[in-house]
Amino acid sequence: MQLHEKIPNNDELAEDRKLLRALEQWQPSFLEWWRQMGPESFQAADVYLRTAVSVDSSGWAHFDYVKMPEYRWGIFLATPEADRTIGFGDQIGRPVWAEVPGEYRNLLRRLIVTQADTEPASVEQQRRLGQTAPSLYDLRNLFQVNVEEGRHLWARVYLLHRYFGRDGREEAEALLARRSGDPDRPRILGAFNAPIDDWLSFYMFAMFTDRDGKYQLLALAESGLDPLARTTRFMLTEEAHHMFVGETGIRRIVQRSCELTRQAPDGDARRLGGIDLPTLQKYINFWYSVSLDLFGGEISSNAAEYFACGLKGRAGEKKYDDHLALQGSYRMTVPEGGRLGEQDVPLRNAMNEVLRDAYIEDNQRGLDMWNKTIAEHGIDLRLCLPSRRFNRRIGLYAGLHFTPQGEPIPQEEFDGGRHEWLPSETDRAYVRSLMRPVREPGVMANWIAAPTKGIDGKPLTYDYVRLA
């Protein structure tokens, strides 16, 4: 590990002077982007952050106070697997590629750029959240997520500079030129152009949208391009914390909502300044459906091509018996003339849906934990995931209307039920009204319960962020 270089890395950057110079020229642009679009009003704060110092499974991170513009962003690749071969598609069994195959250059560049664009986008979406953090513990977790999204951007920019020449350098510059929500220079994916201006939305984003990121990364970790797979595998180590922040954040809101529901004379947590469970369900419906769209269409020739070429596999490809996916099919519910029918889709064309299935199952585990908390309080309500057909903008169900249970309905019926199923402006305004900063160590905002433990063995009363 070359930790004390200008760009920390474990890829012997010092031996590739051309690449090192290119990345060092990009670095000032990145830092300027961070100062402009990173966490607003906290650039001078000392934050108790973890910084990667290794790619080993144990002892890989160091914790200390850091000013975010001085964070040691770097490039870390997982340890290479000896004699690794491509594990799926038409190239199965062949040695993985150390360089980009010319015939797949454009496909790989598109894959890398699309995924890379989400990293700075999420930082931009969340840049003002620090001003309303419900505790110093949560403020620190937000900043940890932000700096690691920045490091994930570095991982992708390294690939663009290292393997794609002038095109890659131009794409790396464009990643810093686009802006979340900018009408002229928006981010590539729609979900990354909406501001996240309250902490309930942030936790939902970390739970559902970052979990989409997990499954996209798991699929890319199988890639036949070995440098892409190796950068991705280490990114997954950091990504796990982002989902932990979302899942436990919502569970803490559920806990506090249940407490306030039982205290309120009429059982309405809002009466006592909490976020009621029906509002939580609306936010789940919105963020889950938006995140489902990020997987792409249910039937996809692009997904089939990525799989066939050995560029993007399935999450945990080794667990499948058939790595060619030429003979199998996927039974899919499809709209047909205003009704729902069943269709057998060639398996390669259904790879997005296979990935989406794993994502849905993973999310259900989180909801089971939240519902366990609700049951422990004796409240007769359970949170649920809506149907994958509900509120979709991409794929087979785009432009059609379904109840949260997945039943097809006319548009006027959907419009009539919208405020019952999705956050209304009144709901959003109420949630925003609760967003008041809490800066005393160990103290939480009224609408969220305390976590069960602190960070890095520190107590909840620890000064996780020292404000300038």
Side-chain angles (χ1 to χ4, degrees):
M1 299 295 292
Q2 299 170 335
L3 297 175
H4 302 292
E5 300 292 332
K6 187 175 181 180
I7 301 173
N9 70 94
N10 68 339
D11 194 47
E12 305 295 340
L13 275 184
E15 297 182 6
D16 189 336
R17 302 302 300 174
K18 182 178 180 181
L19 174 60
L20 180 59
R21 284 196 302 271
L23 290 171
E24 287 180 345
Q25 290 172 0
W26 186 81
Q27 189 175 41
S29 298
F30 169 82
L31 291 173
E32 181 59 26
W33 166 82
W34 180 269
R35 293 186 187 97
Q36 289 182 5
M37 303 305 297
E40 189 176 84
S41 305
F42 291 94
Q43 300 290 342
D46 289 311
V47 187
Y48 192 70
L49 294 173
R50 71 176 185 185
T51 303
V53 295
S54 169
V55 295
D56 295 334
S57 58
S58 60
W60 66 272
H62 171 72
F63 288 80
D64 204 349
Y65 284 101
V66 180
K67 289 181 172 59
M68 284 183 283
E70 300 170 7
Y71 189 79
R72 299 288 287 155
W73 287 286
I75 297 159
F76 302 102
L77 288 77
T79 304
E81 298 178 15
D83 302 319
R84 180 173 175 251
T85 60
I86 299 172
F88 59 93
D90 297 340
Q91 307 284 344
I92 190 169
R94 297 182 182 180
V96 292
W97 308 301
E99 300 288 336
V100 174
E103 63 269 33
Y104 303 142
R105 179 185 176 88
N106 290 338
L107 288 174
L108 279 164
R109 187 179 66 185
R110 182 169 63 184
L111 268 176
I112 291 168
V113 168
T114 301
Q115 193 274 319
D117 194 68
T118 67
E119 311 293 357
S122 62
V123 175
E124 293 167 357
Q125 288 176 291
Q126 300 160 17
R127 64 188 301 261
R128 294 189 175 92
L129 278 178
Q131 297 171 28
T132 58
S135 73
L136 290 183
Y137 167 91
D138 292 286
L139 184 62
R140 177 267 172 199
N141 278 343
L142 167 69
F143 295 156
Q144 185 69 60
V145 170
N146 291 161
V147 295
E148 288 178 350
E149 301 289 20
R151 205 208 62 75
H152 296 175
L153 173 61
W154 269 94
R156 294 306 183 230
V157 165
Y158 158 78
L159 294 176
L160 291 170
H161 276 278
R162 170 67 177 80
Y163 298 101
F164 292 91
R166 176 181 293 180
D167 290 344
R169 293 191 295 273
E170 291 175 353
E171 294 284 14
E173 292 297 330
L175 288 168
L176 299 178
R178 288 187 285 270
R179 292 288 185 269
S180 176
D182 189 299
D184 300 317
R185 301 173 299 166
R187 291 295 172 181
I188 295 172
L189 299 176
F192 291 87
N193 284 302
I196 298 176
D197 52 10
D198 66 76
W199 279 75
L200 177 56
S201 293
F202 168 66
Y203 294 129
M204 293 285 174
F205 180 97
M207 170 68 186
F208 294 115
T209 309
D210 276 335
R211 197 171 303 275
D212 160 78
K214 168 188 172 179
Y215 281 90
Q216 301 298 336
L217 292 175
L218 284 169
L220 292 174
E222 303 287 344
S223 179
L225 179 62
D226 204 41
L228 172 58
R230 290 173 60 202
T231 56
T232 300
R233 288 201 297 274
F234 185 67
M235 289 168 68
L236 281 161
T237 303
E238 296 172 320
E239 194 74 26
H241 176 259
H242 307 180
M243 292 177 291
F244 166 84
V245 169
E247 185 171 332
T248 60
I250 298 172
R251 189 174 185 182
R252 291 161 55 209
I253 297 173
V254 169
Q255 169 76 23
R256 188 60 177 150
S257 179
C258 291
E259 293 169 355
L260 295 174
T261 296
R262 295 183 66 179
Q263 293 172 23
D266 60 355
D268 184 356
R270 289 196 185 194
R271 302 287 188 193
L272 299 179
I275 300 175
D276 55 296
L277 294 176
T279 296
L280 279 173
Q281 181 65 67
K282 292 181 185 181
Y283 273 72
I284 290 169
N285 290 348
F286 175 78
W287 283 101
Y288 175 72
S289 59
V290 166
S291 300
L292 283 177
D293 278 345
L294 293 172
F295 287 88
E298 287 76 9
I299 303 173
S300 172
S301 58
N302 285 337
E305 185 174 19
Y306 293 147
F307 187 89
C309 296
L311 307 183
K312 181 180 179 183
R314 290 168 287 193
E317 182 64 39
K318 290 180 180 178
K319 70 184 179 184
Y320 294 94
D321 295 326
D322 175 14
H323 301 293
L324 289 175
L326 283 173
Q327 303 301 321
S329 62
Y330 183 102
R331 189 75 168 168
M332 192 178 297
T333 301
V334 299
E336 297 176 338
R339 298 183 179 183
L340 294 175
E342 298 294 315
Q343 179 179 334
D344 289 321
V345 176
L347 187 54
R348 287 189 176 185
N349 292 87
M351 285 299 170
N352 286 344
E353 200 68 352
V354 171
L355 203 59
R356 199 167 0 233
D357 284 344
Y359 167 82
I360 291 171
E361 182 179 352
D362 197 3
N363 277 312
Q364 186 59 53
R365 179 190 54 77
L367 263 78
D368 290 344
M369 295 298 293
W370 304 339
N371 284 330
K372 181 179 178 182
T373 298
I374 297 172
E376 288 170 351
H377 283 82
I379 295 174
D380 187 21
L381 183 151
R382 296 296 178 267
L383 300 171
C384 60
L385 296 174
S387 165
R388 69 179 75 199
R389 297 187 286 276
F390 175 74
N391 195 42
R392 293 289 301 281
R393 297 291 181 270
I394 291 175
L396 291 174
Y397 312 116
L400 304 176
H401 301 91
F402 299 87
T403 67
Q405 293 73 37
E407 296 302 319
I409 55 175
Q411 179 175 345
E412 56 270 21
E413 188 174 338
F414 181 86
D415 292 341
R418 180 185 296 274
H419 289 172
E420 178 185 348
W421 301 327
L422 294 166
S424 66
E425 184 50 43
T426 301
D427 294 323
R428 294 182 186 278
Y430 173 72
V431 171
R432 288 194 298 267
S433 75
L434 302 178
M435 300 297 115
R436 298 289 183 267
V438 176
R439 302 285 169 80
E440 182 180 346
V443 178
M444 303 288 144
N446 177 63
W447 51 270
I448 189 168
T452 56
K453 61 181 180 179
I455 298 160
D456 187 36
K458 300 292 189 291
L460 289 178
T461 53
Y462 192 70
D463 198 8
Y464 290 109
V465 182
R466 295 173 177 169
L467 302 173

